[in-house]
């Protein structure tokens, strides 16, 4: 048993404990031991560890301060959400409320489409038996619209399709019969102006301006073919066209006639206006002169000339020197040959060294001859034909060394050079016809002028202010 300590011993023990506590190493003192103004790598690691622990504690502890609220009482409200609409075929079976319009996809057949809509093939065959239905429905093009009246529970009630551009057919399907209702589809004609400037090609510029390929062909091949060589169209040339657009139910379905057109090239503007005179439709200049010339100089467009008109030439077959009273155009066998002008067919047949020959009488003493054909066109002597009609095809019949066309132009029976002869000018409009022409074409010309003034308006450079005059000294 240990003896109780005296007061002196207790005081000595407390003194020893205090001295031991003063000499005990602590973290702060340990961190500062050996500090010379720069932290060691070990000190940096320890400081980073304590900083990370402090941030972690600060982020976790506040979460324990939230006291869950139990038993909150409040008013509950419900909100109706809009659901996607049901397919038309699943809507109520009320007549007229379940039409489904579908578009024919590329490669899709009528049978596949009916199967897709859940309509039996027997119903499809009944529809095809209707007048005009088979022709319209068996030649479906991609994008064609067909409509099915399908109730929720029941067979097909009605079917709708377009017989042509102007008529829509609606078939009501009954168990014992099909009732047809043909609906006239009204269309609207709008007159618009398209204008453009050539940057790469005429075709590209015209398509960009909204012209259809048919309208471009009319402008180049009918209106301006006698005055402009479009193969030489250059950058900066421009055109304007007044034409008809055909609209139906807000959709443009086609184009109509060109009422007027202008083409500016080489600093000169050519114009053409559509006008009907004496039952014939043609294009005229602004002063009422027909754009269509009485004759075209080349019966074969873009053909090469192999022998020109001359007073003396050695014949390649006979070997004798004699006049060549026509122009030879070299072309491949079978190339179409066109009538140089409106005419009556005077002769068709074999004509000595000319071989297969056609002679046309254009009236007023003008005749043309076409020789060495391989075969003739579809016409008979005495028949009237239009300018540009194919009267035959290039060949080498008669005295010919190769396929070509021998073309002669005669005035009063005298041979003339078709490449240089002055062609007779067309008869201009006169009197009442001219007055009607001007009244009809005036608005079209004004619309073209208005559009071009906007599109091709020249921006005048801003004028610089005149320099101030210096004050004169007295």
């Amino acid at each position: 048993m240990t003896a109780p300590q005296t007061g002196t011993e207790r005081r000595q023990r407390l003194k020893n404990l205090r001295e031991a506590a003063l000499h005990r190493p602590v973290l702060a003192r340990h961190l500062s031991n050996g500090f010379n103004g720069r932290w060691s790598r070990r000190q940096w690691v320890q400081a980073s560890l304590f900083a990370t622990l402090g941030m972690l504690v600060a982020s976790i502890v506040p979460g324990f301060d939230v006291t869950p609220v139990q038993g909150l009482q409040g008013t509950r409200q419900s909100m109706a959400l809009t659901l996607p609409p049901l397919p038309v075929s699943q809507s109520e079976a009320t007549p007229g409320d379940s039409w489904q319009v579908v578009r024919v996809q590329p490669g899709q057949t009528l049978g596949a489409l009916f199967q897709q809509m859940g309509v039996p093939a027997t119903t499809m065959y009944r529809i095809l038996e209707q007048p005009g239905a088979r022709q319209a429905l068996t030649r479906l093009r991609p994008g064609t619209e067909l409509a099915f009246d399908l109730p929720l529970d029941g067979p097909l009630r009605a079917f709708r399709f377009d017989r042509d551009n102007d008529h829509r057919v609606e078939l009501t399907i009954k168990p014992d019969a099909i009732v047809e209702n043909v609906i006239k589809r009204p269309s609207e004609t709008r007159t618009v102006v398209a204008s453009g400037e050539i940057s790469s090609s005429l075709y590209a510029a015209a398509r960009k301006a909204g012209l259809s390929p048919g309208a471009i062909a009319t402008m180049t091949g009918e209106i301006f073919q006698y005055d402009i060589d479009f193969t030489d169209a250059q950058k900066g040339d421009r055109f304007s066209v007044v034409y008809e657009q055909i609209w139906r139910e807000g959709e443009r379905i086609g184009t109509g006639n060109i009422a007027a057109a202008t083409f500016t090239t080489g600093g000169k503007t050519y114009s053409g206006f559509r006008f009907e005179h004496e039952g014939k439709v043609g294009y005229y200049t602004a002063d009422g002169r027909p754009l269509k010339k009485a004759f075209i100089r080349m019966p074969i467009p873009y053909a090469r000339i192999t022998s020109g008109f001359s007073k003396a030439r050695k014949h390649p077959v006979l070997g004798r020197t004699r006049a060549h009273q026509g122009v030879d155009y070299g072309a491949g066998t079978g190339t179409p040959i066109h009538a140089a002008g409106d005419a009556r067919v005077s002769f068709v047949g074999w004509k000595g060294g000319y071989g297969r020959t056609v002679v046309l009488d254009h009236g007023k003493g003008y005749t043309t001859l076409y020789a060495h054909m391989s075969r003739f066109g579809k016409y008979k002597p005495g028949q009237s034909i239009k300018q540009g009609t194919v009267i035959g095809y290039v060949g080498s019949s008669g005295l010919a060394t190769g396929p070509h066309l021998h073309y002669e132009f005669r005035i009063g029976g005298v041979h003339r050079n078709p490449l240089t002869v002055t062609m007779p000018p067309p008869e201009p409009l006169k009197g009442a016809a001219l007055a009607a022409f001007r009244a009809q074409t005036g608005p079209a010309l004004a619309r073209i002028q208005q559009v071009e003034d906007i599109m091709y308006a020249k921006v005048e450079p801003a004028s610089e202010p005149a320099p101030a005059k210096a004050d004169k000294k007295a």
Side-chain angles (χ1 to χ4, degrees), residues 406-420:
H406 175 78
Y407 174 57
E408 295 183 4
F409 189 90
R410 304 176 185 180
I411 303 177
V414 179
H415 292 85
R416 300 292 181 88
N417 186 351
L419 300 178
T420 60

Side-chain angles (χ1 to χ4, degrees), residues 22-343:
L22 290 173
H23 290 87
R24 184 180 299 168
V26 296
L27 180 61
R29 181 180 300 174
H30 176 72
L31 290 175
S32 63
N33 284 344
F35 183 75
N36 57 359
R38 297 179 61 183
W39 283 17
S40 65
R41 181 176 181 182
R42 182 178 181 182
Q43 291 170 334
W44 275 110
V45 171
Q46 292 174 342
S48 300
L49 178 62
F50 275 96
T52 303
L53 290 174
M55 293 175 63
L56 181 62
V57 172
S59 62
I60 294 176
V61 172
F64 293 98
D65 190 43
V66 179
T67 303
V69 179
Q70 301 290 340
L72 286 179
Q73 300 295 329
T75 304
R76 296 184 178 181
Q77 296 181 351
S78 62
M79 183 174 61
L81 298 178
T82 303
L83 297 177
L86 290 173
V88 181
S89 60
Q90 299 181 19
S91 61
E92 296 182 1
T94 303
D97 71 344
S98 55
W99 280 103
Q100 297 186 58
V101 180
V102 297
R103 288 181 178 270
V104 178
Q105 301 301 316
Q108 190 174 35
T109 63
L110 185 67
L113 197 149
F114 269 71
Q115 184 179 8
Q116 172 187 322
M117 300 302 296
V119 180
T122 54
T123 303
M124 180 187 70
Y125 293 133
R126 290 182 62 196
I127 291 174
L128 290 176
E129 291 175 356
Q130 299 304 305
R134 183 175 297 275
Q135 182 178 1
L137 296 175
T138 56
R139 299 178 181 179
L140 296 175
R141 295 182 179 180
T144 300
E145 290 187 353
L146 302 176
F148 297 78
D149 183 11
L150 280 168
L152 179 60
D153 297 317
L156 179 69
R157 285 187 301 212
F159 178 69
R160 191 167 60 211
F161 66 95
D162 294 335
R163 177 176 294 173
D164 50 46
N165 288 335
D166 299 322
H167 299 89
R168 174 165 290 171
V169 177
E170 185 172 312
L171 301 176
T172 302
I173 315 297
K174 296 183 178 181
D176 56 346
I178 295 180
V179 180
E180 180 184 81
N181 180 28
V182 180
I183 305 169
K184 176 71 175 178
R185 304 182 65 193
S187 60
E188 176 189 1
T189 301
R190 306 176 186 177
T191 301
V192 299
V193 181
S195 187
E197 184 172 310
I198 298 176
S199 58
S200 58
S201 70
L202 171 61
Y203 186 84
R207 292 292 287 156
K208 183 179 180 181
L211 294 179
S212 66
I216 298 172
T218 300
M219 180 176 65
T220 59
E222 184 175 350
I223 301 177
F224 298 123
Q225 66 169 327
Y226 300 96
D227 299 310
I228 302 174
D229 183 0
F230 288 99
T231 60
D232 292 333
Q234 299 181 10
K235 182 178 180 180
D237 292 350
R238 64 175 187 249
F239 59 88
S240 294
V241 178
V242 180
Y243 69 104
E244 297 172 342
Q245 289 182 347
I246 303 173
W247 291 73
R248 177 180 292 116
E249 300 171 358
E251 180 183 3
R252 192 177 76 172
I253 62 173
T255 57
N257 298 317
I258 292 181
T262 63
F263 196 92
T264 302
T265 178
K268 184 178 180 180
T269 298
Y270 300 86
S271 60
F273 300 88
R274 190 176 188 270
F275 185 70
E276 182 176 348
H277 178 55
E278 296 180 347
K280 298 180 180 180
V281 175
Y283 287 91
Y284 297 77
T285 62
D287 57 358
R289 190 173 297 275
L291 286 171
K292 178 182 176 181
K293 302 300 188 288
F295 295 93
I296 54 178
R297 295 188 183 275
M298 296 180 64
I300 304 177
Y302 312 113
R304 67 186 186 280
I305 298 175
T306 57
S307 182
F309 188 92
S310 64
K311 293 182 179 180
R313 185 198 68 163
K314 186 176 181 180
H315 195 278
V317 177
L318 300 177
R320 299 196 302 264
T321 300
R322 66 179 188 178
H324 187 240
Q325 297 178 322
V327 176
D328 290 347
Y329 296 96
T333 300
T335 302
I337 302 170
H338 302 273
D342 296 345

